[in-house]
Amino acid sequence: GVSGLWLMPVTASADRDHGYATTDFRSIEPQYGTLADFDELLRQAHARGIGVIIDYVINHSAHSHPMFVSAAADPASPWRDWFVWQQPAPKGWDIWGKNPWYEHQGSHYFGTFGPHMPDFNMRNPAVVSYHEDSLRFWLERGLDGFRLDAVPHLVENSAKDWNDQPQSRQLTRRFSRLIRSYPGRHVVCEATAQPTVYASPRVCGSAFAFGLERQIMQAAQG
């Protein structure tokens, strides 16, 4: 009776099994196999009427991603503006009890989820195009869709206005429309901020119902 598989990150990553510290957005984590193995999985799943979607980590890369390694090593690197840098570090930031600005060689880079996962600079059109091309890479292999990770955090405007900014919704809509432009594709967004807004066709079209799990637990407890 299984009609779909959702794979958590299977792209190459620094953490190798958790998968959210991506080191290559267009290859398979070697411990799982190869692109040829992935293609065979799609063929065998589709032959049985089973769709396959994967997690796509869009907000950040691994600290060890070659692009960030280059950006961190040299302020003149062509990859420098692919990530978010400030000098000196802005004051007053607090994301989940932590300062998201991390010092490196006298400058500071931004990492919503910690120093090991630096945020992409999604204001840079080249970064957006790179992710669009990466989504196409998988869609054109026959992948049936994506879970887009952490989409309310794509753009931060200030220490006060960092969560679920209008630019993040606009980018989410852009990526989601690209995915759905391929026939029969599905997209679901991780949008902890306003799940019902992201579930709208105007943004993502589908989103996890964060908050519902707490209501279920409270109901079970009476």
Side-chain angles (χ1 to χ4, degrees), residues 85-126:
W85 295 87
Q86 290 274 354
Q87 179 56 27
K91 303 293 185 182
W93 284 76
D94 184 318
I95 295 182
W96 306 308
K98 294 182 180 180
N99 181 355
W101 292 95
Y102 298 95
E103 193 275 335
H104 179 80
Q105 296 183 358
S107 192
H108 296 79
Y109 66 90
F110 186 86
T112 301
F113 297 99
H116 60 302
M117 294 191 289
D119 277 36
F120 280 110
N121 176 13
M122 300 300 289
R123 300 182 195 275
N124 183 341

Side-chain angles (χ1 to χ4, degrees), residues 22-127:
T22 310
T23 55
D24 189 337
F25 289 85
R26 302 179 193 179
S27 72
I28 296 295
E29 168 57 41
Q31 291 192 90
Y32 297 153
T34 65
L35 280 172
D37 293 325
F38 184 79
D39 292 341
E40 180 66 11
L41 169 65
L42 291 180
R43 281 192 293 271
Q44 295 291 346
H46 291 165
R48 292 161 173 78
I50 297 172
V52 181
I53 71 171
I54 66 171
D55 267 23
Y56 186 86
V57 183
I58 205 163
N59 176 71
H60 53 266
S61 78
H63 186 275
S64 57
H65 192 292
M67 290 189 294
F68 186 76
V69 170
S70 174
D74 182 4
S77 166
W79 306 111
R80 185 78 169 189
D81 193 45
W82 281 50
F83 300 90
V84 182
W85 295 87
Q86 290 274 354
Q87 179 56 27
K91 303 293 185 182
W93 284 76
D94 184 318
I95 295 182
W96 306 308
K98 294 182 180 180
N99 181 355
W101 292 95
Y102 298 95
E103 193 275 335
H104 179 80
Q105 296 183 358
S107 192
H108 296 79
Y109 66 90
F110 186 86
T112 301
F113 297 99
H116 60 302
M117 294 191 289
D119 277 36
F120 280 110
N121 176 13
M122 300 300 289
R123 300 182 195 275
N124 183 341
V127 174

Side-chain angles (χ1 to χ4, degrees), residues 138-214:
W138 296 105
L139 292 165
E140 289 171 8
R141 301 188 90 86
L143 184 71
D144 298 286
F146 296 92
R147 169 198 176 270
L148 297 181
D149 181 62
V151 290
H153 306 302
L154 298 179
V155 175
E156 291 81 18
N157 287 316
S158 69
K160 176 178 176 288
D161 300 313
W162 59 267
N163 191 16
D164 191 22
Q165 297 301 290
Q167 297 93 327
S168 294
R169 295 187 184 189
Q170 291 163 7
L171 284 166
T172 301
R173 178 167 61 246
R174 177 170 173 170
F175 292 129
S176 299
R177 285 180 175 176
L178 177 126
I179 295 164
R180 291 197 301 269
S181 71
Y182 287 74
R185 299 318 205 269
H186 176 67
V187 57
V188 59
C189 288
E190 182 201 25
T192 53
Q194 294 287 338
T196 53
V197 172
Y198 280 81
S200 161
R202 298 188 305 276
V203 185
C204 182
S206 179
F208 290 105
F210 285 101
L212 179 61
E213 75 284 356
R214 291 190 294 274

